[in-house]
Amino acid sequence: MAAVIHSFELHGHVADVLSCLCNPDGTYVATAAADATIRYWRLSDCMPFKVLRGHEGAVTCLSFNGIGDVLASGGADGVIILYNAESGTVTKSLGGGPACNPMGAKFKNVVINDVSLSAKGKVVAAAYEDKMIRVWKAGTGDLVRVLQGHTDQVLSVHICPSDGRLVLSGSADKSLREEPSSKT
């Protein structure tokens, strides 16, 4: 069994921590929690130094772009929020409207289980409880693609770092899918 290097009690969140992620240069950790907040913690002493808000419910997942200047979060509110990672300000909110569902029904409040930003931060993909993956252009907020095919909720998503053209997804249906991020 490996030795624990550090263990910290996170004073600040008032509910379960659902996701954690180190920024690309390794200086801090971002945590997402059921209290609808994201918090930044210095790795050197695990002290909090920033709180990000924007979700109307639990924040379930996080993803930085390759250089760490953009942070994406997904939540139980069915919304993806893009933040300027340094300032913590919201730059874009994606999702929550009927155009996102190929069946035409409003999907706000369909829980987002995972989110992935492309290395350059131009594309964001989200894994939803409704068995779908939605792919967005981060800059414009346009929905590029809705990927269907899983037969149970999608639990994980990853945009391949080389060029952002492939999306990998894993599901409760025990399958892994590899699909293009845009229609070709």
Side-chain angles (χ1 to χ4, degrees), residues 17-125:
V17 174
L18 303 175
S19 184
C20 61
L21 182 66
C22 215
N23 72 322
D25 71 6
T27 56
Y28 66 90
V29 172
T31 56
D35 63 8
T37 66
I38 299 165
R39 293 178 186 267
Y40 288 175
W41 310 82
R42 284 190 305 267
L43 277 174
S44 60
D45 59 8
C46 213
M47 294 300 297
F49 67 93
K50 191 176 299 290
V51 179
L52 287 65
R53 300 183 194 292
H55 285 280
E56 294 179 10
V59 185
T60 57
C61 49
L62 300 169
S63 180
F64 282 106
N65 68 337
I67 61 171
D69 63 341
V70 179
L71 174 69
S73 64
D77 56 5
V79 175
I80 300 164
I81 297 178
L82 301 177
Y83 299 88
N84 174 305
E86 185 177 334
S87 69
T89 58
V90 173
T91 59
K92 183 102 33 207
S93 183
L94 309 170
C100 303
N101 190 322
M103 311 310 175
K106 191 171 183 181
F107 80 97
K108 187 170 182 176
N109 297 329
V110 175
V111 174
I112 297 173
N113 290 322
D114 198 13
V115 66
S116 180
L117 264 172
S118 64
K120 294 181 180 178
K122 294 182 179 183
V123 178
V124 61

Side-chain angles (χ1 to χ4, degrees), residues 8 139 152:
F8 297 99
D152 205 338

